[in-house]
């Protein structure tokens, strides 16, 4: 397993684990096999031109786009149990963590990963149980002919998603606490972020150490654009990363826009109150 830490903005990063290679697919658990089969079925439904399959896929993709990128990132990390099954030495072997050293301080990487691992655990645990307990109450919908029980499948999917994210977060926490991470400032990422940080901060002459200091002091600002998602996937030789990076860039960008709009509104309100007084 190899981890990637990809800064999306100056204060938010995406974590991603390279998926299991095809040559060890035979070691996948029953749950993984069911999940892969569901993914194949979904892909076939996406090819439908019309009908309930087309409408379901359109709605489902919109829902997935709103699932936090942090959850998707944690879901990419296999559970500790699954990793032990695939690699008996995983309890003691260090995991490479690739990151851009000119956008993230190496000495801060451990604390960043600990935060990513722990800050959403309670949320995923609560959401998982809520989804799984609520799913059976949708059973009567299955009695309606032709129409699939969409609420049940949605709740079951969300329960499974939170379960995967929770297990991924526990695995990451284990790696942090046991000091099983091997940070590597990857040259390809450094070259990409040298340009992106210079564009955002407006200075291309800074050294890597000065650049990362500037990033740390900066207010939260978007570093990547949509075109960078495929570049990241190519640099890290992880095609699946492109979609995850696009989702993260979109969500962080929308979040920052909302924050800026709220700040403008607050400023206008304050100015209005000052004029009245």
């Amino acid at each position: 397993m190899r981890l990637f830490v990809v800064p999306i903005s100056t204060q938010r990063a995406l974590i991603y684990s390279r998926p299991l290679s095809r040559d060890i697919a035979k070691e996948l658990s029953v749950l993984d096999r069911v999940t892969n089969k569901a993914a194949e079925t979904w892909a076939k439904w996406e090819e439908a031109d019309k009908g309930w399959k087309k409408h379901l896929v359109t709605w489902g993709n919109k829902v997935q786009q709103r699932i936090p990128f942090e959850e998707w990132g944690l879901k990419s990390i296999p559970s500790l149990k699954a990793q032990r099954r695939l690699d008996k030495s995983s309890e003691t072997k260090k995991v490479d963590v690739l990151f851009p050293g000119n956008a993230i301080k190496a000495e801060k990487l451990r604390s960043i990963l600990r935060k990513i691992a722990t800050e959403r655990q309670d949320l995923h645990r609560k959401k998982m149980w809520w989804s799984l307990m609520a799913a059976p109450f949708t059973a009567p919908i299955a009695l309606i002919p032709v129409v699939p029980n969409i609420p049940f499948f949605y709740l079951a999917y969300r329960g499974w998603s939170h379960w995967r994210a929770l297990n991924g977060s526990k695995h990451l926490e284990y790696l942090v606490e046991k000091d099983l991470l091997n940070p590597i400032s990857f040259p390809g990422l450094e070259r990409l972020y040298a340009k992106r940080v210079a564009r955002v901060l407006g200075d291309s002459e800074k050294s890597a150490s000065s650049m990362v200091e500037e990033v740390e002091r900066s207010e939260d600002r978007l570093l990547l654009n949509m075109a960078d998602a495929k570049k990241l996937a190519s640099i890290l030789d992880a095609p699946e990363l492109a979609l995850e990076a696009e989702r993260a860039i979109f969500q962080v960008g929308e979040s920052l826009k909302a924050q800026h709009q709220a700040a403008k509104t607050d400023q206008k309100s304050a100015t209005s109150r000052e004029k009245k007084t």
Side-chain angles (χ1 to χ4, degrees):
M1 180 177 69
R2 172 172 281 189
L3 297 175
F4 307 134
V5 180
V6 180
I8 303 299
S9 69
T10 53
Q11 295 182 18
R12 300 178 71 179
L14 165 69
I15 189 167
Y16 184 76
S17 171
R18 190 192 298 277
L20 302 177
S21 58
R22 295 180 183 275
D23 59 340
I24 55 176
K26 60 183 179 180
E27 298 291 340
L28 295 177
S29 67
V30 173
L31 181 59
D32 288 325
R33 293 177 187 274
V34 172
T35 301
N36 290 340
K37 183 62 178 178
E40 292 175 6
T41 301
W42 189 266
K44 291 180 181 178
W45 286 2
E46 286 183 320
E47 298 175 0
D49 295 326
K50 56 183 179 179
W52 65 265
K53 291 181 181 179
K54 181 65 175 180
H55 292 300
L56 178 59
V57 166
T58 300
W59 172 80
N61 287 337
K62 288 180 180 179
V63 170
Q64 292 191 71
Q65 188 68 10
R66 290 198 295 268
I67 295 174
F69 75 89
E70 296 93 341
E71 182 176 329
W72 287 101
L74 290 172
K75 280 166 57 177
S76 73
I77 303 173
S79 69
L80 184 57
K81 182 178 179 180
Q83 191 65 23
R84 285 169 176 165
R85 187 173 66 248
L86 294 167
D87 185 356
K88 302 298 183 183
S89 64
S90 60
E91 292 186 16
T92 56
K93 186 168 64 176
K94 289 204 171 189
V95 174
D96 291 342
V97 183
L98 276 57
F99 71 103
N102 51 357
I104 296 178
K105 280 186 175 181
E107 58 268 29
K108 294 290 184 68
L109 188 63
R110 182 185 176 93
S111 62
I112 290 172
L113 292 176
R114 180 183 286 109
K115 181 180 179 182
I116 292 174
T118 59
E119 68 177 350
R120 296 176 61 87
Q121 282 189 9
D122 287 342
L123 174 101
H124 289 309
R125 187 178 292 106
K126 291 176 182 176
K127 293 285 189 179
M128 175 189 72
W129 285 116
W130 184 91
S131 298
L132 295 179
M133 288 189 293
F137 290 99
T138 67
I141 299 177
L143 299 176
I144 303 175
V146 182
V147 179
N149 191 345
I150 295 175
F152 172 82
F153 289 116
Y154 173 72
L155 289 171
Y157 168 75
R158 293 302 290 132
W160 167 83
S161 182
H162 286 297
W163 176 79
R164 282 294 296 263
L166 179 61
N167 279 288
S169 70
K170 289 181 177 179
H171 189 179
L172 179 59
E173 183 181 17
Y174 175 87
L175 295 174
V176 172
E177 296 304 325
K178 297 297 183 180
D179 194 23
L180 293 176
L181 298 172
N182 178 37
I184 300 173
S185 186
F186 194 60
L189 288 176
E190 289 180 351
R191 287 191 291 271
L192 174 65
Y193 278 90
K195 297 176 182 177
R196 300 301 176 261
V197 172
R199 180 191 64 195
V200 171
L201 302 181
D203 189 348
S204 59
E205 301 301 323
K206 290 182 179 293
S207 63
S209 58
S210 299
M211 188 173 287
V212 72
E213 289 284 351
E214 194 72 21
V215 169
E216 190 169 64
R217 291 194 300 266
S218 171
E219 63 178 10
D220 201 8
R221 300 172 66 181
L222 196 65
L223 290 174
L224 304 179
N225 55 46
M226 284 297 181
D228 291 324
K230 291 184 179 179
K231 292 179 182 178
L232 284 168
S234 177
I235 290 170
L236 295 170
D237 190 25
E240 299 86 355
L241 177 60
L243 179 60
E244 305 302 332
E246 287 176 355
R247 183 183 291 112
I249 293 166
F250 173 78
Q251 291 183 2
V252 174
E254 291 298 302
S255 175
L256 291 176
K257 286 179 185 177
Q259 290 177 21
H260 293 158
Q261 187 60 44
K264 286 182 180 179
T265 301
D266 291 343
Q267 187 175 10
K268 288 180 180 179
S269 298
T271 302
S272 178
R273 286 194 298 270
E274 289 177 0
K275 288 181 179 179
K276 288 180 180 180
T277 56

